[in-house]
Amino acid sequence: MRRSLILILALSFPLLMSAKVFAADPDPITTSPTASASNETQSELTTLQTAIKEDIARLAQYQGELRTIVEYRIQNKTLQLRNKIKALLDDNTYDKTFMLALIQEQLQFNLKINDYFNDLITKLSQKLGTADDEATLLEISKRELDKDNNYKQRLETLNWLTQIGQDVTAEKTQLTQLLLNRADNFDSFVTYTQQQLQNAVNDATNAGKDVTAAQTSRVIQLKERLAQNSQSLSTNIELLDALGQNTALLKKTLFSISGDITQDVLNIDVASSLIEQWLNTAKDQAINHGPTLVFKLFIFSLILFVAGLAGKLVKKIVSNTVSNSKLNFSKLLQDFFTSLSGKAVFTIGVLIALSQLGIELGPLLAGFGIAGVIIGFALQDTLSNFASGMMILIYRPYDVGDLINAAGVSGRVSHMSLVSTTIKTLDNQRLIIPNNKIWGDTINNITAEHQRRVDMTFGIGYGDSIEQAEAVLKSIVEAHPKVQKVPAPLIKLHVLGESSVDFIVRPWAKPEDYWDVYWDITREVKMRFDAEGISIPFPQRDVHIYQTSK
């Protein structure tokens, strides 16, 4: 680790020094308003410049999050100011003297910002070897990205000066040399970081289930640092291309590290170099290992084919077994066992086939374990649904075809998986509900029992015969063909209401006959009460009017 730090410091030192050579510190040039620039535009530009200068003065006073906020303000205000400069340049009526002073001040500001980033990187570099080096190196990489954006603005500013007729050849030459040195450093950075990342991955893979949190954290940090350094290299390549430099070798390094297929691959030099490298490697491999590799590929394909057939056969056998089992497995459990058996057999076949290619299965399985942990954190909600599906599979609160009320939805279960449950509502809508929503709520399985009680209430008037009404209700219930004999229906006088005497009628029926019994008995009660002269009272109010004399 100490050798790594020494190498990084050695590589970064020329980068910091070359940046300081170009980042002079002349006094800023104050722009003066001219008659050709509108007062409104001058006022906006002056306000932005004043705000930027005030924020720059505050930087030395703040630390931590406050400094980050001020840096963000400076960046935002600078972007607004530069956009207004672009708008003025697009207007052919701008005053050249006014515009020259404005752009020169932007150039000086750019140099000051570059010095600021150099100082920050120097202070961070001094912490290496005394604190958390990985975190410090990541912070340095982030600041290098900030410098890259600053260099892009510098080149744009020099192009603005060229546009208004200024000779900036010397400045561009100096910037080109700085970027060449910078790109060369980042070329070494990404190659070195890639090697360190590969070593870290190998260490974590070899550790298997004993991999430590520190090893996993180092892999993640190295990946992030490699991504940032690659981005810096990409930005420097882009700037050097704009300055007319040959960047074929740099693009080759970037492509070999990131693997991104961009328009740079279409470059003749880059493409020819990569193709030549690949062809030489392929030629050597074909001569030295060709016959053995062909035989291994044949065995690999044969094992996969046999594993596929065996998986389908096992899947069919398990499906027939669980569907005809006396254990009365749920539909979800049947599908789970069937799918798992076929996939398990095929997975074993794949592992055997990979071993024939010379791939070590131990490190591979350990890598899958590490990937599983990372994926588990990324897919927490999905895994929660999966865990809820397993609980539903084990405890079987409902099955396909059951009528349930769960997660605020009522309907019949049409499909189940370990992640979600599909319910068809009574009005024929299809709802797909995550299993954790169902398992975390009350589940009412309406069709789980073979009998269901139908609760009804009927009222008669206070002047009607209780015995007559009770006899009529009993005859109606007993005459209905779908009413169960056992348990016996319950018909009782229940409540003496404000305007009626209420009977409760509670027959038992099959779940699928519930509504037929409810609707039929309700209709028959109304017709029989009317025929028997039994009144069905409804709420009413007597209004008495009294006339008084004056």
Side-chain angles (χ1 to χ4, degrees):
M1 183 64 185
R2 185 176 300 275
R3 292 182 179 178
S4 302
L5 296 176
I6 293 174
L7 177 58
I8 293 174
L9 287 173
L11 290 172
S12 61
F13 182 76
L15 177 65
L16 297 175
M17 295 303 296
S18 62
K20 285 186 173 295
V21 170
F22 184 75
D25 187 19
D27 294 332
I29 300 175
T30 304
T31 58
S32 60
T34 63
S36 60
S38 67
N39 292 332
E40 181 179 357
T41 302
Q42 291 182 45
S43 177
E44 291 176 355
L45 293 172
T46 302
T47 300
L48 287 172
Q49 289 174 323
T50 302
I52 293 172
K53 291 177 181 178
E54 291 175 352
D55 286 336
I56 292 177
R58 292 193 189 100
L59 277 177
Q61 306 172 9
Y62 294 142
Q63 297 294 333
E65 190 69 19
L66 288 177
R67 171 173 285 196
T68 303
I69 294 174
V70 175
E71 289 178 356
Y72 173 78
R73 280 177 49 83
I74 294 174
Q75 182 182 14
N76 190 36
K77 296 294 183 183
T78 302
L79 183 60
Q80 296 180 36
L81 181 61
R82 295 183 69 85
N83 287 336
K84 291 184 179 297
I85 294 176
K86 290 179 183 179
L88 288 175
L89 287 172
D90 292 337
D91 184 3
N92 294 327
T93 61
Y94 64 85
D95 181 79
K96 182 177 180 180
T97 303
F98 170 76
M99 185 59 65
L100 177 60
L102 188 63
I103 296 176
Q104 285 178 339
E105 182 168 354
Q106 274 298 297
L107 184 60
Q108 303 308 320
F109 168 75
N110 183 274
L111 295 173
K112 282 182 172 294
I113 293 297
N114 191 74
D115 284 341
Y116 170 75
F117 287 136
N118 283 335
D119 291 339
L120 287 180
I121 293 174
T122 301
K123 292 177 181 178
L124 289 171
S125 300
Q126 293 171 354
K127 294 181 180 180
L128 293 173
T130 61
D132 186 357
D133 287 346
E134 288 298 338
T136 303
L137 289 172
L138 281 177
E139 185 62 27
I140 291 176
S141 298
K142 292 178 182 178
R143 289 303 180 179
E144 293 291 356
L145 286 174
D146 293 333
K147 284 183 63 177
D148 293 330
N149 293 328
N150 195 52
Y151 286 133
K152 291 175 70 173
Q153 291 183 354
R154 183 185 302 183
L155 179 58
E156 183 182 43
T157 305
L158 293 177
N159 290 335
W160 288 347
L161 290 173
T162 303
Q163 185 175 346
I164 61 176
Q166 297 298 305
D167 184 10
V168 292
T169 303
E171 288 81 356
K172 284 192 174 182
T173 301
Q174 189 177 13
L175 178 60
T176 300
Q177 187 59 45
L178 187 149
L179 292 175
L180 286 172
N181 294 335
R182 184 175 175 81
D184 181 63
N185 284 328
F186 278 114
D187 182 81
S188 301
F189 285 168
V190 296
T191 304
Y192 174 76
T193 307
Q194 174 71 6
Q195 294 175 355
Q196 293 297 306
L197 175 60
Q198 186 61 49
N199 293 336
V201 171
N202 291 337
D203 292 341
T205 302
N206 293 331
K209 64 179 182 180
D210 297 326
V211 63
T212 63
Q215 289 176 316
T216 304
S217 176
R218 176 164 172 76
V219 170
I220 295 174
Q221 290 176 331
L222 284 172
K223 284 184 177 180
E224 184 176 355
R225 177 148 50 102
L226 179 61
Q228 292 174 350
N229 289 339
S230 298
Q231 180 61 39
S232 290
L233 179 59
S234 176
T235 303
N236 281 269
I237 291 174
E238 178 185 345
L239 294 175
L240 289 172
D241 284 339
L243 290 168
Q245 299 298 307
N246 183 6
T247 58
L249 294 178
L250 296 173
K251 289 176 181 177
K252 177 184 175 182
T253 300
L254 183 63
F255 178 78
S256 63
I257 294 296
S258 64
D260 292 335
I261 300 178
T262 62
Q263 61 181 2
D264 295 332
V265 181
L266 301 179
N267 183 287
I268 297 299
D269 294 333
V270 178
S272 60
S273 178
L274 289 172
I275 292 173
E276 182 180 358
Q277 179 182 351
W278 293 339
L279 289 177
N280 290 335
T281 302
K283 180 180 178 180
D284 294 339
Q285 292 294 328
I287 294 175
N288 298 326
H289 307 288
T292 303
L293 182 60
V294 170
F295 180 74
K296 288 184 176 181
L297 288 176
F298 172 75
I299 296 298
F300 176 80
S301 302
L302 180 62
I303 293 176
L304 288 184
F305 177 74
V306 173
L309 293 179
K312 292 180 180 179
L313 179 61
V314 170
K315 190 174 180 180
K316 186 175 181 180
I317 294 174
V318 172
S319 178
N320 293 333
T321 302
V322 297
S323 60
N324 298 323
S325 175
K326 296 181 180 180
L327 297 177
N328 192 23
F329 292 116
S330 66
K331 180 64 176 175
L332 177 59
L333 193 58
Q334 294 179 27
D335 293 342
F336 175 75
F337 281 143
T338 302
S339 177
L340 182 63
S341 60
K343 291 178 180 177
V345 171
F346 185 74
T347 301
I348 294 173
V350 171
L351 293 177
I352 295 174
L354 290 175
S355 67
Q356 299 304 308
L357 294 178
I359 298 176
E360 293 291 338
L361 297 183
L364 179 64
L365 295 176
F368 285 155
I370 297 173
V373 173
I374 298 174
I375 294 172
F377 280 110
L379 301 176
Q380 293 183 29
D381 292 338
T382 302
L383 292 178
S384 175
N385 290 327
F386 183 84
S388 299
M390 291 297 297
M391 299 301 292
I392 293 173
L393 183 148
I394 295 172
Y395 290 100
R396 298 176 57 187
Y398 57 86
D399 202 353
V400 174
D402 287 348
L403 182 64
I404 67 171
N405 185 350
V409 175
S410 296
R412 195 170 297 277
V413 179
S414 64
H415 180 71
M416 297 169 60
S417 70
L418 290 176
V419 177
S420 64
T421 297
T422 302
I423 293 178
K424 272 194 175 182
T425 61
L426 299 178
D427 57 349
N428 204 32
Q429 297 184 53
R430 178 177 296 178
L431 303 179
I432 300 175
I433 306 174
N435 282 337
N436 64 341
K437 298 287 186 183
I438 296 178
W439 186 251
D441 199 357
T442 301
I443 302 174
N444 179 15
N445 192 333
I446 300 172
T447 56
E449 301 297 333
H450 299 293
Q451 290 179 320
R452 186 178 177 190
R453 193 179 71 184
V454 184
D455 292 353
M456 295 175 287
T457 302
F458 300 104
I460 65 173
Y462 273 92
D464 296 317
S465 171
I466 293 176
E467 292 79 4
Q468 181 187 6
E470 190 171 6
V472 170
L473 291 173
K474 185 176 181 181
S475 65
I476 293 173
V477 171
E478 291 178 348
H480 199 287
K482 294 184 179 181
V483 172
Q484 299 277 314
K485 303 300 181 182
V486 179
L490 180 66
I491 302 173
K492 295 292 182 180
L493 178 61
H494 184 54
V495 174
L496 300 178
E498 293 183 359
S499 57
S500 64
V501 178
D502 296 337
F503 284 88
I504 57 170
V505 178
R506 294 178 176 175
W508 291 81
K510 293 180 180 179
E512 60 269 21
D513 297 334
Y514 177 89
W515 288 110
D516 290 338
V517 172
Y518 187 95
W519 291 326
D520 291 347
I521 291 179
T522 301
R523 182 176 184 275
E524 188 65 21
V525 167
K526 176 64 171 75
M527 295 176 63
R528 288 287 299 277
F529 275 12
D530 289 345
E532 297 286 342
I534 301 173
S535 63
I536 300 178
F538 51 86
Q540 54 187 324
R541 177 175 296 173
D542 293 335
V543 179
H544 302 274
I545 300 176
Y546 298 94
Q547 184 174 4
T548 61
S549 59
K550 294 183 180 180

